[in-house]
Amino acid sequence: MAYNLIQTQTVSTAVPSITFSSIPQGYTDLYLVISARSSFATGSVSDLYVYFNGTTTGYTSRWLQGNGASASSSTSTAPADPLVTMANVAANTFNSVSVYIPNYAGSANKSYTLDDVTEDNSTTAYQRIVASLWSNTAAITSLTVSEANGANLVTGSTASLYGIN
Amino acid sequence: MANSHVLISSQTLGSTATSVTFSSISGAYRDLRLVITGTTTTSTVDAIILQFNGDTGSNYSVVYATGDGTSATSATQATTYLSSGVIGTSQSVSTIDIMDYAQADKHKTTLVRGNTPAWGTRMIAGRWASTAAITSIVVKTEAALTFSAGDSFYLYGVLG
């Protein structure tokens, strides 16, 4: 299982999304690592979307979450849906997300695993594990990380995509 | 990230099967990682289970937490197999890390993530109460369900 860096993108000027396009099809799995902060300033956390081939439909997920006080579980039909650290929390804090996508080039529906933490030195922080499914049999050829509330990913946000073989 | 994982063996099912076996596993690595993707043919969800070295005794125990989209729960299990993921009729994925599998002075521990998106997600910490090096692994489901054609099982050795 070699992790081969396909591309790292670092936000130098705030943008609403990051896209990896023309993803090589020669690997077994994909592994995506995100470190992001949102410019959205309402509440303590916002959402990211992670979606494939430019398509924002066909996603379902179930997650287990802890916030330092209690555990909970819920469902979502948003694309992937990790949390992202907000603009109005401690400076210089970013979320951390990993997404493992097996058999991304295959012809089955895409089932994948997501881990997400936001830690901003406040009383409440979040850890979330997510089971996600994209009900689409197309090979994944592009991947987009998008701020879900219409805000931007701030300068210093990064996303690295690896191919595993 | 360096090339720290070496593919030991992969099996992609050409037809349905109730079990998959990895045998004659080399002791040359630090840890093992098993990645299972696919579906079962007959149930919404079931646990994936492992048995090591043919041991069918009551030597396996786990603690796990589950989110099914409605509630978060946690439980323990001590039995004749090691619960090590979940699989259902929706495309599922489980990753199983087996620590220090070749060491002869410690019980073997596992860390697991199992996802069946139509059902939920589960994280598991497991222990096999044996000091024997792991040389074979049998993969089944708890209710003896059938793995589907096309299901894949990848076993990696982790260098360290």
Side-chain angles (χ1 to χ4, degrees):
Chain A
M1 184 184 280
Y3 287 76
N4 304 279
L5 179 63
I6 297 172
Q7 186 181 16
T8 292
Q9 298 194 45
T10 302
V11 175
S12 57
T13 302
V15 292
S17 65
I18 295 169
T19 295
F20 297 91
S21 56
S22 301
I23 296 171
Q25 299 295 292
Y27 301 107
T28 303
D29 308 326
L30 293 178
Y31 185 66
L32 174 69
V33 180
I34 303 167
S35 172
R37 181 182 173 97
S38 169
S39 65
F40 197 64
T42 303
S44 60
V45 290
S46 183
D47 297 301
L48 286 180
Y49 288 162
V50 178
Y51 56 89
F52 309 119
N53 296 2
T55 301
T56 57
T57 58
Y59 298 87
T60 55
S61 63
R62 293 169 190 258
W63 45 258
L64 173 63
Q65 176 177 284
N67 64 5
S70 62
S72 61
S73 181
S74 190
T75 65
S76 175
T77 56
D81 207 15
L83 297 168
V84 62
T85 305
M86 297 290 297
N88 56 352
V89 299
N92 304 314
T93 57
F94 290 68
N95 75 341
S96 296
V97 182
S98 66
V99 187
Y100 178 54
I101 311 163
N103 300 327
Y104 72 102
S107 57
N109 290 338
K110 307 303 180 295
S111 183
Y112 53 102
T113 294
L114 188 148
D115 293 77
D116 172 34
V117 295
T118 64
E119 169 52 58
D120 56 14
N121 199 34
S122 62
T123 301
T124 301
Y126 296 91
Q127 179 181 14
R128 180 181 283 187
I129 63 173
V130 188
S132 288
L133 178 71
W134 184 39
S135 296
N136 195 306
T137 58
I140 293 173
T141 57
S142 73
L143 186 157
T144 299
V145 179
S146 172
E147 212 287 340
N149 286 298
N152 283 323
L153 305 175
V154 305
T155 300
S157 298
T158 64
S160 296
L161 183 65
Y162 297 86
I164 299 173
N165 59 6
Chain B
M1 295 183 181
N3 184 4
S4 58
H5 294 56
V6 177
L7 181 62
I8 295 174
S9 178
S10 67
Q11 300 185 48
T12 299
L13 298 181
S15 58
T16 58
T18 54
S19 68
V20 170
T21 300
F22 294 93
S23 56
S24 302
I25 299 170
S26 165
Y29 306 100
R30 181 75 187 189
D31 306 319
L32 296 174
R33 166 164 265 222
L34 179 59
V35 180
I36 301 170
T37 60
T39 63
T40 57
T41 60
T42 54
S43 178
T44 300
V45 67
D46 195 19
I48 288 173
I49 62 170
L50 305 182
Q51 290 175 319
F52 302 124
N53 296 3
D55 181 9
T56 57
S58 299
N59 298 313
Y60 303 88
S61 57
V62 298
V63 57
Y64 59 83
T66 300
D68 64 0
T70 302
S71 59
T73 57
S74 180
T76 62
Q77 181 186 52
T79 186
T80 58
Y81 49 78
L82 197 67
S83 184
S84 299
V86 290
I87 191 167
T89 48
S90 68
Q91 190 71 17
S92 307
V93 56
S94 292
T95 58
I96 303 143
D97 290 303
I98 306 168
M99 313 305 180
D100 289 337
Y101 74 101
Q103 299 297 310
D105 59 351
K106 60 179 67 173
H107 290 181
K108 307 305 179 293
T109 56
T110 60
L111 290 174
V112 177
R113 276 290 304 280
N115 293 341
T116 297
W119 173 79
T121 184
R122 175 174 286 178
M123 56 183 179
I124 308 169
R127 180 174 67 93
W128 179 40
S130 172
T131 58
I134 293 173
T135 57
S136 70
I137 303 171
V138 173
V139 185
K140 301 177 183 176
T141 83
E142 190 168 34
L145 301 182
T146 302
F147 294 114
S148 302
D151 288 3
S152 63
F153 303 74
Y154 281 72
L155 181 66
Y156 299 90
V158 182
L159 301 173

